Amino acid sequence: MNSPVGTAAVREWSWSFVMYPEQEPTQEQSDRFDHEDALAGGQVGWEQDQHGTRFPCVVRAPRLEEAVSWAVERLGELGLRIARVETAEGGETPLR
């Protein structure tokens, strides 16, 4: 499953948000990210600069919470824990 897609009767939206890890990823986690089939569709990106690592996301789902949960779970499978999530509007989405 590439994204948290429901039935055809459920309206989906593309949700944009950025996730920030609790700590900088290791080289092993980076390599696993590059080869993870669930992330190959480009819904979760990986950016790095002098400020650290962030994961920009565009995920289709009926609700923002479902989109964030899906992305957090995919990165969790790689051993990456997310500290915070910012929406495209600049707000923060709490992690449950």
Side-chain angles (χ1 to χ4, degrees):
M1 183 164 152
N2 288 337
S3 65
V5 177
T7 64
V10 176
R11 184 172 177 125
E12 291 186 339
W13 303 94
S14 286
W15 300 101
S16 297
F17 51 94
V18 179
M19 300 186 300
Y20 296 88
E22 288 182 355
Q23 59 188 25
E24 285 300 304
T26 64
Q27 184 61 48
E28 178 184 350
Q29 289 168 323
S30 174
D31 292 344
R32 288 179 63 202
F33 180 93
D34 290 341
H35 297 96
E36 180 62 36
D37 289 339
L39 300 172
Q43 296 179 89
V44 179
W46 181 304
E47 295 180 354
Q48 220 164 359
D49 62 18
Q50 69 273 17
H51 301 292
T53 301
R54 63 191 166 278
F55 303 101
C57 304
V58 178
V59 178
R60 292 186 58 81
R63 298 179 324 159
L64 174 61
E65 294 80 11
E66 292 176 38
V68 169
S69 292
W70 179 85
V72 168
E73 287 174 13
R74 297 296 77 75
L75 291 176
E77 291 169 358
L78 301 178
L80 294 164
R81 295 174 47 103
I82 301 303
R84 86 179 194 281
V85 177
E86 292 181 0
T87 63
E89 294 80 28
E92 287 197 23
T93 300
L95 297 177
R96 297 179 197 188

